[in-house]
Amino acid sequence: MSPLPDFYDDLDASFREAWRLLADGVEHGRSGFHLVTLASVAQGAPRLRTVVLRAAEGGPGILRFHCDRRSDKARELAAHPACALAAYDGPTKIQIRIEGRASLHTDDAVADAAWAASRPMSRVCYAAEPAPGTVLPAGDAYTLPDEETAALGGRPSFCVVRVEARRLDFLYLDRRGHRRAAWERDGSGWTGAWLAP
Ligand SMILES: Cc1cc2nc3c(=O)[nH]c(=O)nc-3n(C[C@H](O)[C@H](O)[C@H](O)COP(=O)(O)O)c2cc1C
């Protein structure tokens, strides 16, 4: 049987492990935390979709992803900033769920910096016409520009979403005993407790 991980039965270490895994997911496509499921509130009902995690900073408790400002999710988050993220990584057997508040950045320095750092191939979809979610007369009735055109044409639709985490729920699966903990954040920082799995 493999040894228990260092964070087992260590609440502070479990918190650090959660943010370490999220930051690792930003960097590595093979991580289960690279793609996260994002929930927004759409006319009173939950709506889910996959997004690429672009940043995760444990200190300030900030996560970031990118989307098209013309998309439904951008509209939903602008109207109802409450949102949630969830992901599971099979190899580490860890699920992380985050609840927080989203803020949209479209025409500011945050969006400018993220756009400048984005890859040319990632920019192409922001210059797609018509806007995401538009009903089409046929499956291929939309256009994507080449990377050079997208470098300028995509910027107006590019949106950075920053999620300020207010709650983080951590679940580690182990046959010798699962471990679950949650932390909540107020003005003075994070407070955590073990929870029954
Ligand atoms: C693997 C994968 C990664 C995705 N990454 C993103 C992303 O980072 N940002 C995004 O806006 N949509 C991303 N999408 C598409 C969304 O899941 C969704 O289909 C699309 O953005 C429309 O969502 P909405 O109508 O809720 O706005 C991704 C989809 C998949 C399957």
Side-chain angles (χ1 to χ4, degrees):
M1 184 139 322
S2 59
L4 289 166
D6 289 346
F7 57 80
Y8 198 77
D9 284 332
D10 183 334
L11 196 57
D12 290 343
S14 294
F15 186 70
R16 286 194 300 274
E17 180 65 1
W19 285 102
R20 189 193 71 75
L21 286 168
L22 291 167
D24 183 67
V26 171
E27 299 299 328
H28 300 110
R30 54 158 179 72
S31 162
F33 298 107
H34 187 64
L35 298 174
V36 298
T37 301
L38 162 76
S40 59
V41 179
Q43 293 168 347
R47 185 172 284 169
L48 304 175
R49 79 285 284 160
T50 309
V51 294
V52 176
L53 188 60
R54 301 287 180 179
E57 300 167 46
I62 298 290
L63 300 110
R64 202 183 82 205
F65 63 88
H66 300 162
C67 73
D68 194 308
R69 78 192 293 178
R70 303 168 295 173
S71 66
D72 285 347
K73 76 178 80 51
R75 261 191 301 280
E76 290 155 17
L77 293 170
H80 302 283
C83 64
L85 300 166
Y88 174 69
D89 181 57
T92 57
K93 295 180 287 179
I94 289 174
Q95 172 186 264
I96 298 173
R97 295 186 292 162
I98 286 177
E99 294 166 17
R101 310 274 299 174
S103 59
L104 274 57
H105 299 260
T106 50
D107 303 312
D108 61 9
V110 173
D112 285 343
W115 181 257
S118 66
R119 290 181 302 172
M121 61 177 284
S122 305
R123 295 174 175 170
V124 168
C125 56
Y126 297 101
E129 291 293 344
T134 304
V135 175
L136 302 175
D140 65 353
Y142 67 96
T143 58
L144 286 172
D146 56 43
E147 290 182 3
E148 218 164 282
T149 311
L152 281 177
R155 176 64 187 87
S157 300
F158 180 68
C159 178
V160 173
V161 182
R162 283 174 93 241
V163 176
E164 190 190 312
R166 302 216 168 153
R167 186 172 197 279
L168 188 153
D169 186 299
F170 174 89
L171 175 66
Y172 169 64
L173 302 178
D174 195 298
R175 264 182 291 172
R176 292 160 287 188
H178 306 326
R179 289 294 180 270
R180 180 180 173 198
W183 294 263
E184 298 210 351
R185 188 181 179 172
D186 58 20
S188 59
W190 292 94
T191 310
W194 295 112
L195 302 178

Tab-separated table of all heavy atoms in Angstrom, residues 26-27 54-55 64 66 109-123 126 151 155 158 160:
chain	number	residue	atom	x	y	z
A	26	VAL	N	-2.691	24.948	-14.110
A	26	VAL	CA	-2.522	26.063	-15.049
A	26	VAL	C	-1.387	25.747	-16.030
A	26	VAL	O	-1.481	26.005	-17.231
A	26	VAL	CB	-2.207	27.368	-14.284
A	26	VAL	CG1	-1.821	28.492	-15.240
A	26	VAL	CG2	-3.394	27.766	-13.407
A	27	GLU	N	-0.329	25.141	-15.499
A	27	GLU	CA	0.884	24.914	-16.290
A	27	GLU	C	0.828	23.656	-17.146
A	27	GLU	O	1.469	23.594	-18.187
A	27	GLU	CB	2.109	24.811	-15.365
A	27	GLU	CG	2.370	26.056	-14.547
A	27	GLU	CD	2.651	27.269	-15.427
A	27	GLU	OE1	3.230	27.093	-16.515
A	27	GLU	OE2	2.252	28.384	-15.044
A	54	ARG	N	-6.423	29.466	-16.218
A	54	ARG	CA	-5.273	30.256	-16.693
A	54	ARG	C	-4.404	30.785	-15.566
A	54	ARG	O	-3.260	31.166	-15.790
A	54	ARG	CB	-5.772	31.447	-17.522
A	54	ARG	CG	-6.593	31.062	-18.721
A	54	ARG	CD	-5.726	30.472	-19.802
A	54	ARG	NE	-6.521	30.098	-20.978
A	54	ARG	CZ	-5.994	29.575	-22.063
A	54	ARG	NH1	-4.699	29.358	-22.149
A	54	ARG	NH2	-6.759	29.240	-23.071
A	55	ALA	N	-4.950	30.872	-14.366
A	55	ALA	CA	-4.155	31.329	-13.223
A	55	ALA	C	-4.837	30.881	-11.942
A	55	ALA	O	-6.069	30.759	-11.892
A	55	ALA	CB	-4.007	32.853	-13.226
A	64	ARG	N	-8.326	32.494	-12.598
A	64	ARG	CA	-8.602	33.254	-13.816
A	64	ARG	C	-8.868	32.312	-14.972
A	64	ARG	O	-8.234	31.261	-15.066
A	64	ARG	CB	-7.372	34.116	-14.134
A	64	ARG	CG	-7.651	35.302	-15.004
A	64	ARG	CD	-6.346	36.020	-15.311
A	64	ARG	NE	-5.663	35.349	-16.401
A	64	ARG	CZ	-4.357	35.384	-16.616
A	64	ARG	NH1	-3.568	36.041	-15.806
A	64	ARG	NH2	-3.839	34.763	-17.637
A	66	HIS	N	-10.348	32.643	-19.397
A	66	HIS	CA	-10.642	33.576	-20.479
A	66	HIS	C	-11.905	33.144	-21.214
A	66	HIS	O	-12.181	31.938	-21.312
A	66	HIS	CB	-9.480	33.606	-21.488
A	66	HIS	CG	-8.183	34.021	-20.891
A	66	HIS	ND1	-6.965	33.782	-21.489
A	66	HIS	CD2	-7.902	34.665	-19.728
A	66	HIS	CE1	-5.994	34.267	-20.717
A	66	HIS	NE2	-6.534	34.800	-19.651
A	109	ALA	N	-6.133	47.003	-18.114
A	109	ALA	CA	-4.753	46.504	-18.159
A	109	ALA	C	-4.690	44.989	-17.912
A	109	ALA	O	-3.800	44.306	-18.446
A	109	ALA	CB	-3.913	47.239	-17.106
A	110	VAL	N	-5.628	44.464	-17.120
A	110	VAL	CA	-5.656	43.008	-16.868
A	110	VAL	C	-5.885	42.267	-18.184
A	110	VAL	O	-5.180	41.298	-18.518
A	110	VAL	CB	-6.766	42.655	-15.840
A	110	VAL	CG1	-6.923	41.148	-15.698
A	110	VAL	CG2	-6.466	43.294	-14.491
A	111	ALA	N	-6.871	42.719	-18.950
A	111	ALA	CA	-7.173	42.076	-20.238
A	111	ALA	C	-6.043	42.315	-21.239
A	111	ALA	O	-5.665	41.397	-21.983
A	111	ALA	CB	-8.497	42.591	-20.784
A	112	ASP	N	-5.480	43.520	-21.258
A	112	ASP	CA	-4.369	43.812	-22.183
A	112	ASP	C	-3.202	42.856	-21.938
A	112	ASP	O	-2.623	42.301	-22.875
A	112	ASP	CB	-3.874	45.253	-21.993
A	112	ASP	CG	-4.828	46.271	-22.602
A	112	ASP	OD1	-5.676	45.882	-23.423
A	112	ASP	OD2	-4.716	47.461	-22.230
A	113	ALA	N	-2.850	42.662	-20.654
A	113	ALA	CA	-1.702	41.808	-20.326
A	113	ALA	C	-1.981	40.357	-20.708
A	113	ALA	O	-1.107	39.661	-21.253
A	113	ALA	CB	-1.391	41.915	-18.831
A	114	ALA	N	-3.197	39.882	-20.431
A	114	ALA	CA	-3.527	38.490	-20.757
A	114	ALA	C	-3.560	38.284	-22.269
A	114	ALA	O	-3.114	37.248	-22.777
A	114	ALA	CB	-4.869	38.105	-20.132
A	115	TRP	N	-4.061	39.276	-22.994
A	115	TRP	CA	-4.093	39.182	-24.464
A	115	TRP	C	-2.667	39.143	-25.023
A	115	TRP	O	-2.352	38.335	-25.893
A	115	TRP	CB	-4.871	40.365	-25.048
A	115	TRP	CG	-4.971	40.350	-26.542
A	115	TRP	CD1	-4.262	41.100	-27.423
A	115	TRP	CD2	-5.832	39.517	-27.336
A	115	TRP	NE1	-4.615	40.809	-28.716
A	115	TRP	CE2	-5.583	39.834	-28.681
A	115	TRP	CE3	-6.779	38.543	-27.030
A	115	TRP	CZ2	-6.254	39.204	-29.739
A	115	TRP	CZ3	-7.451	37.916	-28.078
A	115	TRP	CH2	-7.188	38.244	-29.406
A	116	ALA	N	-1.818	39.999	-24.479
A	116	ALA	CA	-0.428	40.045	-24.955
A	116	ALA	C	0.263	38.710	-24.701
A	116	ALA	O	1.126	38.291	-25.478
A	116	ALA	CB	0.325	41.175	-24.258
A	117	ALA	N	-0.102	38.033	-23.617
A	117	ALA	CA	0.552	36.767	-23.256
A	117	ALA	C	-0.092	35.559	-23.944
A	117	ALA	O	0.435	34.448	-23.854
A	117	ALA	CB	0.500	36.570	-21.734
A	118	SER	N	-1.223	35.753	-24.621
A	118	SER	CA	-1.919	34.604	-25.199
A	118	SER	C	-1.280	34.188	-26.526
A	118	SER	O	-0.660	34.999	-27.213
A	118	SER	CB	-3.404	34.911	-25.389
A	118	SER	OG	-3.553	35.925	-26.359
A	119	ARG	N	-1.464	32.920	-26.858
A	119	ARG	CA	-0.854	32.394	-28.077
A	119	ARG	C	-1.700	32.780	-29.296
A	119	ARG	O	-2.927	32.850	-29.194
A	119	ARG	CB	-0.739	30.877	-27.994
A	119	ARG	CG	0.310	30.444	-26.977
A	119	ARG	CD	0.426	28.945	-26.936
A	119	ARG	NE	-0.860	28.339	-26.597
A	119	ARG	CZ	-1.097	27.032	-26.628
A	119	ARG	NH1	-0.160	26.203	-27.015
A	119	ARG	NH2	-2.279	26.547	-26.287
A	120	PRO	N	-1.048	33.019	-30.453
A	120	PRO	CA	-1.793	33.409	-31.660
A	120	PRO	C	-2.957	32.455	-31.957
A	120	PRO	O	-4.062	32.897	-32.300
A	120	PRO	CB	-0.732	33.359	-32.765
A	120	PRO	CG	0.548	33.652	-32.047
A	120	PRO	CD	0.409	33.037	-30.681
A	121	MET	N	-2.741	31.145	-31.785
A	121	MET	CA	-3.831	30.200	-32.108
A	121	MET	C	-5.006	30.332	-31.132
A	121	MET	O	-6.139	30.030	-31.474
A	121	MET	CB	-3.319	28.759	-32.155
A	121	MET	CG	-2.738	28.263	-30.860
A	121	MET	SD	-2.224	26.525	-30.930
A	121	MET	CE	-3.800	25.703	-30.838
A	122	SER	N	-4.726	30.789	-29.900
A	122	SER	CA	-5.807	30.961	-28.930
A	122	SER	C	-6.647	32.193	-29.253
A	122	SER	O	-7.794	32.312	-28.819
A	122	SER	CB	-5.242	31.128	-27.516
A	122	SER	OG	-4.412	30.057	-27.184
A	123	ARG	N	-6.047	33.141	-29.992
A	123	ARG	CA	-6.744	34.396	-30.270
A	123	ARG	C	-7.794	34.257	-31.364
A	123	ARG	O	-8.708	35.079	-31.459
A	123	ARG	CB	-5.730	35.466	-30.695
A	123	ARG	CG	-4.770	35.832	-29.579
A	123	ARG	CD	-3.714	36.777	-30.092
A	123	ARG	NE	-2.863	37.232	-29.013
A	123	ARG	CZ	-1.739	37.906	-29.198
A	123	ARG	NH1	-1.337	38.194	-30.415
A	123	ARG	NH2	-1.023	38.291	-28.161
A	126	TYR	N	-11.625	34.362	-30.792
A	126	TYR	CA	-12.238	35.618	-30.356
A	126	TYR	C	-12.616	36.512	-31.536
A	126	TYR	O	-13.310	37.509	-31.359
A	126	TYR	CB	-11.306	36.355	-29.387
A	126	TYR	CG	-11.088	35.548	-28.130
A	126	TYR	CD1	-9.926	34.804	-27.941
A	126	TYR	CD2	-12.080	35.480	-27.166
A	126	TYR	CE1	-9.738	34.024	-26.812
A	126	TYR	CE2	-11.912	34.704	-26.032
A	126	TYR	CZ	-10.738	33.979	-25.865
A	126	TYR	OH	-10.589	33.202	-24.754
A	151	ALA	N	-5.008	38.673	-34.412
A	151	ALA	CA	-4.180	39.403	-33.452
A	151	ALA	C	-4.801	40.751	-33.122
A	151	ALA	O	-4.692	41.250	-32.001
A	151	ALA	CB	-2.769	39.578	-34.012
A	155	ARG	N	-9.249	41.052	-30.267
A	155	ARG	CA	-9.092	41.743	-28.979
A	155	ARG	C	-10.394	42.339	-28.405
A	155	ARG	O	-10.639	42.212	-27.191
A	155	ARG	CB	-8.003	42.824	-29.109
A	155	ARG	CG	-7.797	43.685	-27.869
A	155	ARG	CD	-7.302	42.864	-26.684
A	155	ARG	NE	-7.253	43.649	-25.468
A	155	ARG	CZ	-8.265	43.818	-24.624
A	155	ARG	NH1	-9.433	43.239	-24.880
A	155	ARG	NH2	-8.141	44.534	-23.542
A	158	PHE	N	-12.253	39.743	-26.400
A	158	PHE	CA	-11.507	38.978	-25.396
A	158	PHE	C	-11.868	39.454	-23.992
A	158	PHE	O	-11.928	40.657	-23.714
A	158	PHE	CB	-10.013	39.166	-25.646
A	158	PHE	CG	-9.124	38.436	-24.688
A	158	PHE	CD1	-9.061	37.050	-24.675
A	158	PHE	CD2	-8.323	39.141	-23.789
A	158	PHE	CE1	-8.225	36.376	-23.795
A	158	PHE	CE2	-7.481	38.487	-22.911
A	158	PHE	CZ	-7.429	37.099	-22.914
A	160	VAL	N	-11.147	38.554	-19.770
A	160	VAL	CA	-10.539	37.811	-18.660
A	160	VAL	C	-11.554	37.774	-17.521
A	160	VAL	O	-12.111	38.809	-17.166
A	160	VAL	CB	-9.248	38.500	-18.170
A	160	VAL	CG1	-8.708	37.828	-16.907
A	160	VAL	CG2	-8.192	38.500	-19.271
